[in-house]
Amino acid sequence: MPRPRILVVEDEEDILELVDYNLRQAGFRVLRARDGLEGLRSAQRDHPDLIVLDLMLPGMDGKDVCRRIRQGESTRHIPVVMLTARAEEMDRVVGFELGADDYVTKPFSPRELVLRIQAILRRVAEEEPPDAPLCFPGLTVDPIRYRVEVGGKEVALTATEFRLLYCLARNAGRVMSREVLLDRVWGYHYEGYARTVDTHIRRLRKKLGPARERIETLRGLGYRFRDEP
Ligand code: CA
């Protein structure tokens, strides 16, 4: 197994050094970029295993970089961990759903960052091999192409939304608690997790349009994907 490559996009030299050092100590290889455009180019060219992306960057900021990564056919599957400077920005990252897989608020402990990266990479590695598309009337979820179609039209989902929908749809008819979803989709436990799941479900429903009815809320229990229309 080659050592995973992590792309770190950060303009603050001391943070870049700190992260670089700690990732290497943890056995990763590190690619560096000092602004958003350089980061995006590296993501497209080098296909790293994961990207650590600062939110505030000169030129193209972290939000735009994240969006572009999620839109790119060759980059949309790459996990992104955002570095954010303030608690408010952390909320915005979650709220606006940029497609980041996780976020760490500055000042952060390098050990915590390494643990989160390891958790994400473990989850990606453990994911079962891609399956055939899940087809329901009016809704197709294709885990090989990471593609969702509602009424024959592609719906753009973030990586997290896709995993959430796929997890629900694969377990169609079964009640999935927030804890189970958190574990399967995010891979570890957030504090205030219920809100995280609920926020993503809300955004997912909005994007699903007419297929939104398939995701049922079971008060006090969790969510269920309806296999019957
Ligand atoms: Ca910065």
Side-chain angles (χ1 to χ4, degrees), residues 167-182:
C167 183
L168 286 166
R170 267 201 96 170
N171 294 282
R174 244 191 258 175
V175 181
M176 304 293 279
S177 70
R178 292 180 176 84
E179 287 81 2
V180 166
L181 288 173
L182 205 71

Side-chain angles (χ1 to χ4, degrees), residues 10-12 54 56-57 106:
E10 169 63 84
D11 58 313
E12 285 157 83
D54 187 31
M56 305 291 266
L57 291 166
K106 291 178 184 174

Side-chain angles (χ1 to χ4, degrees), residues 7 9 12 32 48 52 55 67 78 80 98-99 123 139 148 170 198-199 215 226 229:
L7 168 63
V9 190
E12 285 157 83
R32 298 166 166 222
V52 175
L55 188 64
R67 258 184 227 115
I78 303 173
V80 174
L98 297 166
R123 185 189 70 211
L139 175 68
V148 172
R170 267 201 96 170
D198 296 344
T199 302
I215 301 174
R226 242 192 266 254

